[in-house]
């Protein structure tokens, strides 16, 4: 019989169904308790310190209560605090990445995913190393520096050796001024030994979406294949961290189960990682179920509105202030705009969700994993971000300097973002503008760079950043990052 224990290594103890049910009942009972809601909102606000500022975060119970609250002015307040936290810890930078689909061979039976083993209508494809190289060149030509590699689970077609070969190939491509500086990996749950291999190959974040925290639904939604095993999947992040991977990325596929249950589970998972490994998740992704080959989202009962989706995002921002939030091109430009104000810190741009998609002209591609709603080019996404006051950042310095896991968190807490990440973002943006941007984007971009340079507090840092940006504009590049 499971008992709730965030420090336990057993999935059913740290994602404890009884604790989630009690949390939801308590949240429902208190959702109009204005005094308590105000107290929680006050706790969530960033507080100044001598060196920067800190944020207490919220427990899964407190955060679930906010999610349950429907009082319009309180929801508005949650959104304001989410933006305050985002600006305090991440500034107005938005990290840019793209997914790279390696293979859609899969032995699992996930009923919401077109790659499920029984789908006979989708062509199966796996990139050769030459094709990986061609895709990476296409991505570098767009300006990407950071990728998330994606693959189905198939020990015959996509064994770990194949994934490692691909990572090696990706890091080895240096086309013109391009290179991929951080490869994040989204592959099925695996063993500590294989996580050690991924770590040795130099990956950034290991990403694995839980899909749903509800065990019974999980088993129904994953009827066959290794992914059917709830404990194996839910305990994967512990194995990844035991294998030496500092940065892990959580996520729920919203639309599969009741969102309040998923939200409580997600925050409990973060609490568990903090309790056991001393560091919470590096990122949380918020994908929503989409139409795809053989998949109709209307067949699932738990779709959420844009308003609920925004509230979930704001509540995640309040609960885990130091965790990055990722929003993909599954969402439209309008939804992405709205969520960017609520604490999102990473977006994908110019994405293709098909195997070989970056080198194919026509779309939609027949191996696409899901419909991409935001089909703009990376150049358009970069310009749109800047026009809305966000600095697109292509920086990967933290990762290269070993500022991962809790070392990155302390940088945030010490308020060093404006002296470190901000100049890095401006320098990498300048590289992008020089190498890849359209004239229109370049004009908007350099206006922003000039303005934003003035916000760097330390004069010496500002001077170095200015000098480097001048050098970049004069094609006299220096590989310098704070
Ligand atoms: N195969 C890996 C695994 O088992 O975790 C992950 C790779 S998969 C390419 C990445 C994610 O896409 C999945 O974890 C799932 O959440 C999401 N996904 C699958 N089908 C989807 C759909 N129809 N709409 C939106 N997202 C979907």
């Amino acid at each position: 019989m499971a008992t709730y224990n965030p420090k336990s290594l057993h999935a059913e103890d740290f994602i404890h169904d009884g604790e989630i049910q009690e949390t939801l009942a308590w949240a429902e009972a208190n959702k109009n308790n204005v005094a308590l809601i105000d107290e929680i909102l006050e706790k969530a606000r960033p507080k100044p310190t001598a060196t920067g500022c800190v944020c207490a975060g919220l427990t899964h119970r407190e955060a679930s209560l906010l999610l349950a609250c429907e009082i319009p002015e309180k929801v508005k307040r949650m959104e304001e605090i989410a933006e305050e936290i985002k600006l305090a810890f991440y500034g107005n930078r938005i990290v840019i990445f793209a997914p790279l689909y390696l293979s859609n061979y899969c032995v699992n039976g996930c009923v919401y995913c077109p790659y499920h083993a029984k789908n006979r209508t989708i062509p199966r494809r796996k990139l050769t190393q030459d094709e990986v190289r061609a895709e990476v060149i296409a991505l570098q030509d767009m300006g990407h520096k950071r990728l998330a590699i994606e693959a189905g689970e198939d020990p015959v077609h996509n064994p770990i050796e194949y994934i490692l070969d691909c990572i090696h190939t990706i890091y080895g491509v240096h086309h013109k001024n391009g290179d991929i500086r951080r490869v994040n990996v989204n592959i099925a749950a695996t063993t500590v030994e294989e996580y050690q291999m991924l770590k040795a190959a130099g990956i950034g974040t290991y990403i694995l979406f839980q899909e749903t925290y509800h065990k019974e639904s999980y088993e129904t939604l994953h009827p066959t294949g290794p992914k059917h095993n709830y404990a194996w999947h839910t305990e994967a992040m512990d194995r990844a961290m035991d294998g030496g991977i500092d940065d892990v990325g959580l996520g729920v596929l919203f639309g599969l189960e009741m969102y309040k249950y998923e939200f409580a589970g997600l925050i409990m998972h973060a609490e568990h990682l903090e309790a056991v490994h001393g560091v919470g998740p590096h990122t949380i992704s918020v994908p929503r179920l989409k139409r795809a080959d053989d998949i109709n989202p209307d067949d699932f009962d738990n779709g959420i509105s844009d308003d609920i989706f925004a509230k979930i995002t704001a509540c995640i921002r309040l609960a885990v202030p130091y965790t990055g939030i990722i929003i993909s091109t599954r969402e439209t430009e309008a939804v992405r705009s709205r969520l960017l104000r609520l604490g999102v810190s990473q977006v994908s741009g110019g994405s293709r969700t098909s195997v070989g998609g970056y080198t194919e002209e026509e779309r939609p591609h027949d191996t696409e994993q899901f419909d991409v709603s935001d089909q703009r080019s990376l150049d358009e996404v970069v310009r749109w971000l800047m026009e809305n006051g966000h600095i697109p950042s292509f920086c990967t310095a933290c990762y290269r300097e070993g500022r991962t896991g809790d070392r990155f968190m302390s940088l945030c807490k010490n308020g060093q973002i404006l002296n470190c990440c901000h100049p890095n973002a401006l320098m990498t943006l300048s590289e992008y503008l020089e190498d890849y941007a359209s004239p229109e984007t370049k004009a908007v971009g350099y206006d922003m760079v000039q303005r934003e340079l003035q916000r760097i507090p330390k004069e010496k840092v500002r001077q170095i950043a200015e000098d480097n940006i001048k050098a970049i504009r004069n094609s006299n590049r220096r590989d310098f990052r704070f």
Side-chain angles (χ1 to χ4, degrees), residues 160 164 190-203 239-245:
I160 193 71
L164 297 171
T190 186
T191 58
V192 173
E193 292 69 35
E194 295 197 354
Y195 287 123
Q196 283 167 339
M197 294 178 189
L198 289 170
K199 165 80 181 172
I203 71 160
R239 293 193 301 280
M241 285 182 146
D242 287 346
I245 295 176

Side-chain angles (χ1 to χ4, degrees), residues 101 103 105-106 108 110-115 149-154 158 186-189 206-211 218 222 227 233 251-254 256 287-293 295-297 300 328 330 353 369-371:
Y101 281 74
S103 166
Y105 283 94
C106 194
N108 286 314
C110 318
V111 301
Y112 50 83
C113 178
Y115 294 171
I149 55 172
E150 314 273 341
E153 179 167 15
D154 187 323
N158 326 323
N186 184 2
I187 60 165
Y206 172 65
I207 302 163
L208 182 70
F209 299 160
Q210 177 64 29
E211 322 299 7
Y218 181 94
H222 306 95
K227 196 165 171 177
H233 190 80
V252 153
L253 185 53
F254 285 102
L256 297 179
R288 279 197 290 189
L289 188 63
K290 298 280 304 179
R291 186 169 301 282
D293 180 271
I295 306 296
N296 181 357
F300 298 81
S328 74
R330 287 177 183 86
T353 65
Q369 196 199 12
F370 49 79
D371 280 356

